[in-house]
Amino acid sequence: ADEYLGIFYPQGQTNDLSGNTVVVPASHMMLRTIARSDDQSFQWFAPAGTRRGGITNASSAGYITSEGEFQSVALNEGQRDTLYSNAINPVTFLSGAGLVNFGQKTRAKNASSLDRINVARLVIYLRSQFNKLAKPYIFEPNDKITRDEIKAQADSLLLELVGQRALYD
């Protein structure tokens, strides 16, 4: 269990650089999907669904049978719901949209905002930005002037994030 871990199912089928058909783990598909989502929006938007969850580096999703053959599969709604309720993000084929990541749960132990990938990524971004913001104040006096300067910078950052739809208040 971890707030910064996501599991995806099933595997994908694609071509390697030599043109050979290969089976890749779901993480192969998701790394590109998340990068493309970030290119289209901010990291606090869900890299899922038909707008930002489209998978373009695999031709189909499925699994390897006991005979060693790739079996393509399009997960139905019940299968997707079962996977999602177990914090496994389904990758499936949707008519009209193609291959799509249809989940964004993390492996968080407890139900909270951090059980979503976009929220976990927002927290990582905030930690990074607050760390950069606070560095110039190391060894400064812990007085009202210093605290007011830090607060003004933090308020400015948070107000910008409200405008970018990362926060709503």
Side-chain angles (χ1 to χ4, degrees):
D2 192 310
E3 294 89 5
Y4 302 103
L5 170 69
I7 296 178
F8 299 85
Y9 174 85
Q11 301 166 345
Q13 187 175 46
T14 190
N15 295 321
D16 66 12
L17 296 175
S18 300
N20 302 314
T21 301
V22 294
V23 177
V24 294
S27 59
H28 168 87
M29 297 181 289
M30 288 313 304
L31 287 172
R32 179 175 171 144
T33 301
I34 290 170
R36 288 185 72 241
S37 174
D38 288 357
D39 194 42
Q40 297 169 2
S41 60
F42 297 104
Q43 61 263 42
W44 45 82
F45 282 70
T50 57
R51 286 188 171 182
R52 290 174 302 278
I55 295 171
T56 60
N57 61 338
S59 56
S60 62
Y63 58 93
I64 298 177
T65 66
S66 58
E67 291 83 31
E69 297 294 321
F70 184 80
Q71 176 65 49
S72 184
V73 63
L75 302 173
N76 63 40
E77 186 175 353
Q79 292 167 323
R80 291 192 310 258
D81 290 348
T82 299
L83 287 167
Y84 205 64
S85 67
N86 288 291
I88 299 171
N89 300 298
V91 172
T92 192
F93 182 84
L94 296 178
S95 296
L99 207 51
V100 175
N101 168 38
F102 213 68
Q104 67 143 352
K105 279 206 173 182
T106 68
R107 297 293 291 181
K109 246 184 229 182
N110 303 313
S112 75
S113 296
L114 282 174
D115 68 2
R116 300 289 187 270
I117 289 172
N118 66 322
V119 176
R121 294 185 75 214
L122 172 61
V123 169
I124 292 167
Y125 178 80
L126 285 169
R127 285 181 178 159
S128 169
Q129 293 304 306
F130 284 136
N131 187 36
K132 288 177 190 174
L133 183 143
K135 271 198 169 105
Y137 296 99
I138 295 174
F139 303 112
E140 290 300 311
N142 184 4
D143 59 15
K144 183 169 176 24
I145 295 169
T146 303
R147 289 190 300 270
D148 286 347
E149 286 178 14
I150 293 172
K151 183 182 180 312
Q153 287 189 10
D155 286 347
S156 176
L157 169 65
L158 295 174
L159 186 58
E160 181 179 337
L161 290 174
V162 169
Q164 294 172 340
R165 298 169 61 195
L167 307 169
Y168 61 88
D169 189 9

